[in-house]
Amino acid sequence: ARKSSESEERQAKSIEDQLTEIKEFNKKENLNIAEVFQESKSAKYPGRTEFGKMIEKIKASNEPVGILAWHPDRLARNSIDGGQIIYLIDTGQICSLKFPNFWFEPSPQGIFSLNMAFVQSKYYSDNLSENVKRGIRNKIRRGEWTGIAPLGYVNNPVTRNIEPHPVKSKIIKHLFESYANGQFSMNSAREKLQLLGIESRNRNPISLSAMGWLLSNPLYYGVIKHNEEYHEGKFEPLITRKLFEDVQARLKDCTQKRHSKQRQDRKSTRLNS
């Protein structure tokens, strides 16, 4: 039994519902369930732990076994996992597959039908994924932020966009202004944010990479960058474009000075050696 927490399978039956139907089906068929495998992970890509354990136990079995599942798409939504099931049927290590709502028998016709079920499952995932990506692209083109609001903003469920946080937006604006004026370095800015209650999950100052992302994100002057494209945001910016460009100039200057010092240190090390 499998259920994914990812969006493409939100409508799939829960694991508990699947197990209930499988057990009722098992009573009708009078079968012996040797072991139950269940996981909460998408089958779109190979590498699932419980699926892998099941396959290894089938390979190690001294006699052919069968698999009970609610539907073939609970077993695989990718060609590698589906291919493993087909191969084990071809070699006789899987003698039967039974589903409450799908017919299968280990015959050429049955294997063909199973192959088609796996292909349809993969097509469903691929097509839905592309539809989601297209929806995200269109939302960004309309100037709407997708996903969780970045630091300084909050999600507005009514407008389905973001808006400035009443407190944190002012902190972010102050951070940009102070960094542009040379009042803060990256490290001192991190420490200042921590004092104001903005820190990492383990209660440490946010990372240097997160600081770099924050200070170089055009979102804060009202522009969304997506796949090297820039779109005007339909939300309130926290800073002006002029202030953003001043910060970028200082970031570039600090980076050049750091690289220059590193080159000098390496040169000094070679001379000393």
Side-chain angles (χ1 to χ4, degrees):
R2 179 187 65 80
K3 186 182 187 302
S4 172
S5 59
E6 296 181 7
S7 59
E8 72 260 20
E9 296 187 55
R10 284 180 179 171
Q11 302 305 317
K13 281 182 175 288
S14 69
I15 287 178
E16 292 76 16
D17 287 346
Q18 292 174 49
L19 291 175
T20 297
E21 292 201 13
I22 290 171
K23 288 175 182 177
E24 290 178 355
F25 179 76
N26 180 65
K27 288 180 181 179
K28 296 177 183 178
E29 297 289 318
N30 194 27
L31 302 172
N32 175 41
I33 297 179
E35 191 168 353
V36 176
F37 297 88
Q38 62 184 64
E39 59 188 351
S40 297
K41 190 172 182 180
S42 171
K44 186 176 180 180
Y45 302 105
R48 289 172 291 142
T49 302
E50 292 303 308
F51 179 82
K53 288 179 182 178
M54 182 185 71
I55 293 298
E56 290 306 313
K57 290 204 171 188
I58 292 173
K59 291 179 179 178
S61 177
N62 294 322
E63 58 183 3
V65 299
I67 298 177
L68 281 172
W70 176 61
H71 188 274
D73 65 10
R74 300 302 90 193
L75 296 175
R77 282 186 180 274
N78 67 82
S79 55
I80 293 179
D81 290 347
Q84 289 192 78
I85 296 292
I86 298 296
Y87 179 75
L88 291 173
I89 295 172
D90 288 340
T91 58
Q93 291 174 281
I94 292 178
C95 62
S96 177
L97 288 177
K98 290 188 178 294
F99 312 94
N101 57 357
F102 185 87
W103 168 88
F104 171 80
E105 66 177 23
S107 65
Q109 182 183 0
I111 292 174
F112 175 78
S113 298
L114 184 63
N115 260 311
M116 292 303 298
F118 286 148
V119 169
Q120 288 174 346
S121 298
K122 184 177 186 305
Y123 171 76
Y124 172 82
S125 291
D126 292 346
N127 191 52
L128 189 55
S129 175
E130 185 55 39
N131 287 339
V132 169
K133 291 177 182 177
R134 184 174 62 247
I136 290 174
R137 290 195 298 269
N138 288 335
K139 188 173 183 180
I140 290 174
R141 290 188 186 109
R142 293 195 301 267
E144 301 170 10
W145 181 256
T146 61
I148 299 175
L151 187 60
Y153 285 94
V154 292
N155 292 99
N156 186 322
V158 177
T159 63
R160 296 187 177 182
N161 208 339
I162 55 175
E163 60 185 30
H165 187 279
V167 176
K168 292 181 180 179
S169 62
K170 295 179 176 62
I171 295 175
I172 296 303
K173 182 179 180 181
H174 176 66
L175 173 68
F176 273 89
E177 291 172 344
S178 299
Y179 188 84
N181 294 331
Q183 297 176 22
F184 288 150
S185 65
M186 289 281 265
N187 281 320
S188 62
R190 295 163 63 216
E191 293 168 358
K192 180 68 173 179
L193 287 179
Q194 186 182 28
L195 289 174
L196 294 172
I198 298 175
E199 55 192 3
S200 65
R201 291 180 180 178
N202 56 4
R203 307 301 299 274
N204 291 323
I206 63 176
S207 66
L208 284 172
S209 60
M211 279 296 303
W213 180 89
L214 191 156
L215 290 171
S216 60
N217 193 342
L219 167 93
Y220 290 106
Y221 75 86
V223 172
I224 302 174
K225 181 181 178 182
H226 179 71
N227 291 338
E228 303 305 319
E229 295 181 356
Y230 293 85
H231 304 275
E232 182 179 357
K234 302 300 182 183
F235 48 83
E236 182 181 342
L238 302 188
I239 61 173
T240 64
R241 179 164 185 167
K242 174 64 168 57
L243 177 56
F244 180 80
E245 291 173 348
D246 289 344
V247 169
Q248 304 319 297
R250 182 157 186 247
L251 284 172
K252 183 178 179 181
D253 183 57
C254 290
T255 300
Q256 289 175 344
K257 288 179 179 179
R258 185 173 66 253
H259 288 169
S260 177
K261 185 178 184 304
Q262 289 172 348
R263 287 194 296 269
Q264 290 175 358
D265 290 344
R266 287 196 297 268
K267 184 178 179 180
S268 176
T269 301
R270 287 196 299 270
L271 290 174
N272 291 333
S273 61

